[in-house]
């Protein structure tokens, strides 16, 4: 199966480069591709790479109309549009898919992976494929996992140096029970909100804080409305590129291969771009006036201990088989 996809991708590249994409079974197609972050973000840049690649591989027949900044709706609204067939594609957080495919909650496990190498191997391996496949009979097709990144905490109340500093902090979390439980367990007053409403909620002080990767804190200008950043790296968040299954089923094999190949190409670009940006982002956020602190090893351990209390319920929710397979896969990855 994997090899077949690879050959399809190579075939398409050859077709495109020799200018005979015309020969493939590709019709003129308009693809509305929605995403939540702004155009000048790691997400926006990668969607552009995807669009260019689709254009190239289809000999200009398939056109991607990239629509960012949640102009087509929040993640959950776009997911419903994909399921209903009113929108062709999107990229968004796996965390907002948990209501549709419960196995996606696996990616919300605090401290599941230690670094991006482990994340790539897990997501691109059999476990990632298995979770992805759960979308198929829910009306969506997942093409690739992109990197959102390790999440970190910001707030406007006080520097969080110990667990107790989170007491009573009104913290926006993603619309997902694992995140809600995790932060309630830490003592925060966790409030689920769509990302598209987050900046305003912070600005109007409806909430005191939020958690997201450095890249997003920077691209969404959260530094304008948040004073304190605590380096927690509490969970690695993937994004997933999805297609409306209704629409996907109307495509030819060649057209599907174009989308698959472009998703992989943009994934590789996106992960590198995100990591390059993240490596510089903290210094930039400091320049923008954020006060940044790291947790002492003892406090980090306390927080980790609290957060991993949710693991048992995640395991039950995603299924013990999948949970155990994930742990075995991680052990394999770590022994390499
Ligand atoms: C969040 C996520 C978002 C993504 C994005 C809108 O906090 O991390 O950044 O879902 O696609 O909601």
């Amino acid at each position: 199966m994997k090899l077949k996809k690879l050959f399809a991708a190579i075939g398409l590249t050859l077709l495109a480069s020799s200018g005979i994409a015309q020969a493939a079974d590709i019709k003129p197609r308009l693809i509305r591709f929605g995403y939540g972050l702004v155009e000048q973000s790691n997400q926006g840049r990668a969607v552009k790479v995807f669009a260019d690649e689709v254009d190239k591989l289809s000999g200009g027949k398939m056109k991607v109309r990239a629509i960012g900044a949640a102009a087509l709706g929040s993640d959950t609204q776009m997911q419903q549009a994909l399921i209903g067939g009113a929108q062709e594609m999107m990229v968004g957080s796996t965390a907002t898919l948990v209501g549709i495919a419960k196995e996606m909650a696996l990616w919300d496990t605090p401290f599941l992976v230690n670094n991006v190498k482990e994340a790539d191997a897990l997501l691109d391996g059999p476990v990632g494929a298995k979770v992805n496949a759960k979308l198929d009979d829910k009306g969506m097709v997942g093409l690739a996992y992109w990197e959102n990144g390790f999440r970190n905490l910001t707030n406007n109340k006080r520097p969080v140096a110990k667990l107790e500093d989170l007491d009573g902090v009104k913290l926006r979390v993603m619309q997902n029970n694992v995140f809600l439980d995790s932060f309630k367990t830490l003592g925060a007053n966790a409030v689920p909100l769509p990302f598209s409403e987050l900046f305003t909620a912070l600005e109007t002080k409806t909430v005191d804080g939020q958690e997201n990767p450095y890249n997003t804190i920077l691209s969404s200008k959260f530094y304008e409305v948040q004073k304190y950043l605590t380096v927690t790296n509490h969970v690695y968040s993937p994004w997933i590129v999805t297609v409306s299954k209704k629409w996907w089923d109307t495509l030819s094999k060649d057209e599907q291969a174009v989308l698959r190949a472009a998703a992989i190409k943009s994934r590789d670009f996106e992960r590198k771009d995100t990591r390059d940006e993240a490596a510089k982002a903290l210094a930039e956020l400091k320049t923008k006036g954020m006060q940044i602190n790291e947790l002492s090893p003892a406090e980090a351990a306390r927080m980790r201990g609290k957060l991993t209390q949710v693991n048992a319920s995640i395991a039950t929710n995603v299924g013990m088989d999948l949970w155990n397979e994930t742990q075995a896969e991680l052990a394999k990855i770590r022994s390499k």
Side-chain angles (χ1 to χ4, degrees):
M1 188 61 189
K2 255 193 189 153
L3 269 182
K4 222 168 119 188
K5 274 182 206 163
L6 184 67
F7 284 133
I10 293 171
L12 277 164
T13 311
L14 290 178
L15 279 180
S17 56
S18 58
I20 51 164
Q22 269 67 4
D25 183 9
I26 296 174
K27 292 190 188 70
R29 301 275 184 184
L30 178 67
I31 304 159
R32 283 159 297 182
F33 190 126
Y35 61 98
L37 299 192
V38 293
E39 207 181 321
Q40 291 80 21
S41 65
N42 53 339
Q43 202 173 50
R45 290 189 293 271
V47 173
K48 176 107 189 16
V49 169
F50 176 83
D52 289 348
E53 191 64 13
V54 168
D55 190 71
K56 194 179 110 193
L57 293 178
S58 69
K61 286 186 181 169
M62 298 168 78
K63 296 282 181 209
V64 175
R65 184 182 295 160
I67 306 159
L72 290 180
S74 66
D75 279 8
T76 50
Q77 288 168 329
M78 288 196 285
Q79 287 154 12
Q80 292 309 320
L82 258 61
I83 293 169
Q87 180 182 330
E88 289 75 29
M89 288 189 73
M90 68 173 286
V91 61
S93 183
T94 54
T96 51
L97 279 167
V98 171
I100 293 168
K102 61 182 181 2
E103 293 80 2
M104 286 284 166
L106 183 63
W107 312 128
D108 303 329
T109 308
F111 305 104
L112 181 68
V113 296
N114 296 314
N115 52 54
V116 293
K117 247 185 77 193
E118 290 178 10
D120 290 356
L122 189 63
L123 290 162
D124 301 342
V127 172
K130 191 174 267 184
V131 174
N132 184 358
K134 298 291 175 193
L135 290 175
D136 280 16
D137 50 349
K138 306 285 180 181
M140 273 183 267
V141 177
L143 295 187
Y145 293 101
W146 288 1
E147 175 159 300
N148 187 352
F150 283 99
R151 303 178 79 89
N152 290 289
L153 191 73
T154 70
N155 89 98
N156 230 353
K157 273 215 142 156
R158 58 183 89 95
V160 175
K162 55 180 186 313
L163 252 179
E164 289 70 18
D165 293 330
L166 271 172
D167 278 354
V169 170
K170 223 171 161 192
L171 191 82
R172 175 271 177 176
V173 293
M174 291 191 280
Q175 294 155 294
N176 161 310
N177 281 336
V178 178
F179 276 87
L180 199 60
D181 290 351
S182 294
F183 283 95
K184 278 189 176 161
T185 308
L186 288 183
N189 178 3
V191 198
L193 265 187
F195 184 85
S196 47
E197 289 169 29
L198 180 51
F199 186 91
T200 307
L202 293 168
E203 192 177 33
T204 57
K205 303 201 162 35
T206 307
V207 293
D208 304 313
Q210 64 88 43
E211 41 84 55
N212 254 298
Y214 299 146
N215 309 66
T216 300
I217 299 170
L218 198 57
S219 64
S220 292
K221 296 193 162 67
F222 289 159
Y223 53 82
E224 288 182 355
V225 287
Q226 293 281 272
K227 179 87 188 137
Y228 308 106
L229 189 156
T230 309
V231 178
T232 50
N233 290 315
H234 51 273
V235 66
Y236 177 91
S237 263
W239 280 326
I240 188 165
V241 177
T242 48
V243 189
S244 160
K245 177 88 166 54
K246 256 191 182 162
W247 179 71
W248 178 258
D249 289 342
T250 68
L251 299 179
S252 71
K253 289 278 164 281
D254 287 341
E255 290 164 340
Q256 291 179 350
V258 164
L259 297 182
R260 282 197 190 282
I264 299 301
K265 166 112 185 196
S266 51
R267 174 196 74 191
D268 294 345
F269 164 85
E270 195 269 351
R271 284 180 181 165
K272 187 179 180 313
D273 178 56
T274 299
R275 287 158 198 178
D276 289 349
E277 184 182 50
K280 291 177 280 184
L282 204 52
E284 209 170 327
L285 289 168
K286 215 176 265 177
T287 318
K288 302 277 189 202
M290 289 197 91
Q291 193 177 311
I292 295 159
N293 76 290
E294 304 219 4
L295 293 168
S296 69
E299 281 304 319
R302 270 182 86 208
M303 209 176 264
R304 191 183 180 114
K306 277 264 178 197
L307 275 171
T308 47
Q309 282 176 22
V310 299
N311 284 16
S313 72
I314 300 175
T316 317
N317 285 333
V318 303
M320 255 357 254
D321 287 350
L322 179 63
W323 180 265
N324 291 335
E325 189 183 341
T326 306
Q327 297 308 326
E329 184 68 18
L330 278 169
K332 213 164 90 189
I333 292 165
R334 284 169 188 152
S335 71
K336 273 184 191 152

